[in-house]
Amino acid sequence: MREQNHKLQVRKGNELYVFDRSGRFMLFVAKGHVVRRGLDHRMLDIRIPSSGGLPARRYREIPDTEKTNFLTKAYQIAQKALQQTEHALSDKWTPVLSLMTVAEMSRDKERFSRTYLPVSILPPDQYHSLVIQVSHGCSYNRCLFCDFYRDRPFHIKSPEEIQHHLAHVLDFLGKRIDDRTGIFLGDGNALIIPTDRLLHMIHMIKSTLGEDVATSFHTFMDTFNLDYKSMDELRMLHEMGLQTVYVGFETGADRLRQFLDKPGTSAEAVEAVTTLKMAGYRVGVILLIGAGGTSFVQEHRTETWKALLNIPFTSDDIIFLSPFYMPEHTAYHAKIDEKGLCELSDEQMEKEIQIFKEKLSTNTPATITMYSIKEHLY
Ligand code: SF4
């Protein structure tokens, strides 16, 4: 048992339980098994087979009764371990964990929904950032594979709405705000917000949360609306602290882009990312591996490689390989059926990921890493 970064880590055999500074359960890790709890009290069960890579992982949201049983056991294990540990650690953490009951944690669901609309997705390196929803939804919202924001219209918040949101965030997280690193501006393409309004929002966030919390800013942007911003505006935002822009590049194959109802061409997407690089940003470029099924595999692969070679990546950039998962609330199924296309099996997906990894890691200085939308939990 030990404390690290204001978190309590409890070991029992090969199992590790982690609790945050408020005493809330955060994480369980065992061989081939991970359980994570989100700020909204949802809990995700991840099973990791010893072979097969990311596509073979299985994900499940834990239902309420099982959640209660799991948490009850986790707290019993932690309290027992505390009784057997050195005084200082026990004196500090025993009362903290005693106050945090399962009933208290389950109230986070309602507290969260008073503060946020669902945080549908984040890049994996932003799971620990503090999300501030300066806008809701995506201004396009029609990519065939994307159902992240189908539940809400696009809306840019007024200064009053932002102030209200920030007050709720402060109240909801309390001291836990210090555990978040950097600010992620939500939702789906916040960089589309007119520059003067966005600059004002960043200023409000800094002055309300303090520059110790608002150390850096990050956001998503689509690849087809960036021409609303001039180079001067992009540089101004960068100087204000906006550091990373994550773009859903998806594919370099124009035929596949059209199939996916993704606006613009691959050449325009390359130009958009290049513009961000010229303005000084770190970029996260997301590729959708397996999109369009087996018929598009070869075209997707070769056209994407060709396109990415034209982007002036640097070593701080990231290229994310995101395995394609069938969306639930879009017309993608109908289109796949109409065209008679076949999804990739887990094995085909894994092979494709390896091919992309090898090719890109030898041809770009960017870091190549995985991005499973199934692992996201804020
Ligand atoms: S993929 Fe991006 S641009 Fe397309 S609908 Fe989703 S959030 Fe919007």
Side-chain angles (χ1 to χ4, degrees):
M1 166 174 288
R2 66 173 179 163
E3 180 182 319
Q4 196 179 35
N5 297 330
H6 305 282
K7 295 175 186 73
L8 180 69
Q9 299 184 355
V10 180
R11 281 200 180 276
K12 181 174 185 265
N14 292 327
E15 297 177 343
L16 173 72
Y17 297 82
V18 183
F19 302 83
D20 75 8
R21 65 171 77 213
S22 72
R24 286 169 170 84
F25 167 81
M26 287 179 69
L27 176 70
F28 164 83
V29 183
K31 191 166 187 295
H33 187 198
V34 171
V35 175
R36 292 171 48 218
R37 178 180 178 273
L39 293 175
D40 58 358
H41 193 51
R42 283 187 308 132
M43 285 173 57
L44 186 63
D45 182 293
I46 307 173
R47 299 286 167 166
I48 306 165
S50 51
S51 63
L54 196 73
R57 289 188 184 187
R58 293 294 171 256
Y59 304 91
R60 184 173 65 90
E61 190 170 327
I62 301 180
D64 282 345
T65 314
E66 191 183 329
K67 211 187 289 185
T68 302
N69 293 340
F70 180 94
L71 290 170
T72 305
K73 183 178 155 216
Y75 280 83
Q76 280 167 355
I77 288 169
Q79 291 287 14
K80 193 165 171 202
L82 279 167
Q83 284 166 14
Q84 296 161 356
T85 198
E86 38 131 343
H87 286 314
L89 206 55
S90 176
D91 289 352
K92 177 174 174 186
W93 282 94
T94 302
V96 177
L97 291 203
S98 306
L99 284 175
M100 195 46 68
T101 61
V102 177
E104 176 62 19
M105 274 187 289
S106 65
R107 283 196 273 280
D108 281 347
K109 186 177 172 186
E110 198 234 316
R111 293 181 190 125
F112 184 89
S113 64
R114 266 188 271 140
T115 309
Y116 290 105
L117 283 190
V119 175
S120 311
I121 189 73
L122 286 171
D125 60 336
Q126 294 290 333
Y127 286 174
H128 298 293
S129 66
L130 176 67
V131 174
I132 300 297
Q133 288 176 317
V134 289
S135 60
H136 286 156
C138 162
S139 64
Y140 175 63
N141 215 12
R142 293 196 297 282
C143 294
L144 198 62
F145 57 89
C146 173
D147 57 9
F148 293 136
Y149 306 110
R150 301 275 168 143
D151 61 344
R152 68 199 79 171
F154 182 64
H155 169 66
I156 299 174
K157 285 189 180 165
S158 66
E160 293 72 30
E161 287 172 303
I162 304 236
Q163 207 60 66
H164 189 71
H165 178 48
L166 290 172
H168 271 95
V169 168
L170 278 169
D171 182 51
F172 172 53
L173 286 173
K175 279 301 282 174
R176 289 182 294 156
I177 210 161
D178 293 339
D179 297 332
R180 316 303 301 185
T181 48
I183 305 288
F184 194 88
L185 302 172
D187 279 333
N189 59 350
L191 196 53
I192 202 172
I193 297 170
T195 305
D196 52 343
R197 290 181 69 181
L198 195 49
L199 285 167
H200 183 54
M201 289 168 174
I202 292 176
H203 176 72
M204 283 175 75
I205 294 168
K206 283 183 180 176
S207 55
T208 308
L209 303 182
E211 303 222 4
D212 285 352
V213 175
T215 47
S216 58
F217 291 78
H218 315 273
T219 195
F220 278 127
M221 184 55 186
D222 60 62
T223 51
F224 43 89
N225 278 312
L226 203 69
D227 46 5
Y228 284 114
K229 294 268 182 290
S230 69
M231 184 58 81
D232 280 352
E233 289 176 309
L234 286 172
R235 289 197 171 125
M236 229 187 301
L237 286 161
H238 187 49
E239 273 164 28
M240 271 293 276
L242 186 58
Q243 287 183 359
T244 318
V245 180
Y246 297 86
V247 293
F249 193 93
E250 329 303 4
T251 176
D254 283 335
R255 245 173 33 95
L256 181 54
R257 284 182 84 88
Q258 279 165 19
F259 176 81
L260 299 171
D261 286 344
K262 186 100 192 166
T265 62
S266 163
E268 285 161 355
V270 167
E271 198 184 322
V273 183
T274 304
T275 303
L276 290 168
K277 288 304 299 166
M278 304 314 283
Y281 289 90
R282 169 182 179 254
V283 294
V285 167
I286 303 149
L287 305 178
L288 211 44
I289 309 302
T294 50
S295 317
F296 277 104
V297 160
Q298 191 61 40
E299 192 177 337
H300 181 16
R301 195 194 286 169
T302 50
E303 294 298 306
T304 304
W305 293 348
K306 240 197 280 172
L308 293 188
L309 290 181
N310 294 316
I311 295 176
F313 286 113
T314 49
S315 57
D316 57 346
D317 296 323
I318 307 185
I319 299 174
F320 292 102
L321 306 179
S322 181
F324 179 82
Y325 293 104
M326 194 66 98
E328 282 179 27
H329 305 295
T330 77
Y332 186 87
H333 300 254
K335 198 157 173 185
I336 280 273
D337 289 348
E338 179 199 314
K339 306 264 180 203
L341 302 179
C342 256
E343 290 303 292
L344 271 64
S345 65
D346 286 352
E347 292 72 28
Q348 287 170 317
M349 181 70 86
E350 185 55 30
K351 183 176 160 222
E352 207 49 31
I353 287 167
Q354 289 312 323
I355 293 172
F356 264 88
K357 252 190 202 162
E358 275 163 36
K359 180 76 178 179
L360 295 175
S361 54
T362 48
N363 288 288
T364 81
T367 300
I368 317 297
T369 189
M370 298 304 300
Y371 183 158
S372 170
I373 59 171
K374 299 267 185 192
E375 304 220 345
H376 166 257
L377 190 71
Y378 175 54

